[in-house]
Amino acid sequence: MKRQGYTLAQVGRAANIDGSQVGKIVKGTRKASEPVMRAAAEHYDDGQLFLAAAAEVTGGAFTPWLDNVDLHRASVLFKTIEEMQEVLDASKQAAISKTNEQINETERQQIKRLLMETVEAITALSHLAAAICKEYSFSWLGTWKEHRAELKLKNYVK
């Protein structure tokens, strides 16, 4: 809202609620319902908004929006490459071919490191996708719809 200079009333119309309700949501005195989050995310088609909505719906079990870092597309790309390299490095150490019952505590810690590096890479990749969509005017929602269609064609999803 602030980035685009929209008023509470404009955002309210997009989200199908009154502008005063938007103000309460922004202040944190009211939670946005799923239909409100969906309407606003689809209307503005902004990666940050989609990630925030997903994090809200899942109780934080999703990529957080990084609001205290340099989100220039080049900076995000360089950080993403770094994070992906850390996943590759951790994957060389992790005894991922063993089952949970077969690993010792050291191996468990190596697998945990791989998990945490993976989550960090997912966060970086999500921000990279959002930065690319924003800079080059690609639709966030359209990108994910296209991706899902490709997954369906490959029979990876029903």
Side-chain angles (χ1 to χ4, degrees):
M1 187 174 99
K2 289 178 184 177
R3 254 194 341 253
Q4 299 294 328
Y6 294 122
T7 66
L8 294 175
Q10 289 172 312
V11 174
R13 282 191 295 277
N16 303 315
I17 59 173
D18 185 73
S20 65
Q21 296 302 313
V22 174
K24 291 176 183 177
I25 292 167
V26 170
K27 288 179 190 173
T29 59
R30 179 184 171 114
K31 283 198 168 269
S33 67
E34 283 189 46
V36 167
M37 286 187 283
R38 182 186 321 274
E42 288 177 1
H43 177 81
Y44 292 108
D45 199 12
D46 181 82
Q48 180 180 357
L49 195 51
F50 275 100
L51 291 175
E56 179 70 26
V57 170
T58 62
F62 201 72
T63 302
W65 186 256
L66 305 178
D67 57 6
N68 197 31
V69 298
D70 180 2
L71 292 175
H72 185 276
R73 63 194 178 281
S75 299
V76 177
L77 174 61
F78 295 140
K79 185 62 177 175
T80 300
I81 292 168
E82 178 185 315
E83 295 296 347
M84 291 182 349
Q85 185 60 56
E86 290 174 3
V87 170
L88 294 173
D89 293 344
S91 69
K92 293 174 187 171
Q93 303 289 319
I96 203 77
S97 62
K98 294 182 179 180
T99 67
N100 193 36
E101 294 77 25
Q102 295 172 323
I103 60 173
N104 62 36
E105 188 55 34
T106 299
E107 292 167 328
R108 181 172 185 73
Q109 291 307 311
Q110 291 168 336
I111 292 169
K112 173 70 181 226
R113 179 173 168 250
L114 173 59
L115 171 62
M116 296 310 295
E117 296 296 351
T118 299
V119 170
E120 288 178 18
I122 291 167
T123 298
L125 285 161
S126 297
H127 283 73
L128 179 60
I132 290 170
C133 285
K134 181 180 174 187
E135 179 65 28
Y136 299 105
S137 300
F138 289 109
S139 166
W140 176 270
L141 183 57
T143 298
W144 285 100
K145 284 182 176 182
E146 184 177 331
H147 176 58
R148 285 185 180 275
E150 289 175 13
L151 293 174
K152 195 170 184 175
L153 279 174
K154 295 174 182 175
N155 289 321
Y156 291 161
V157 297
K158 293 181 182 176

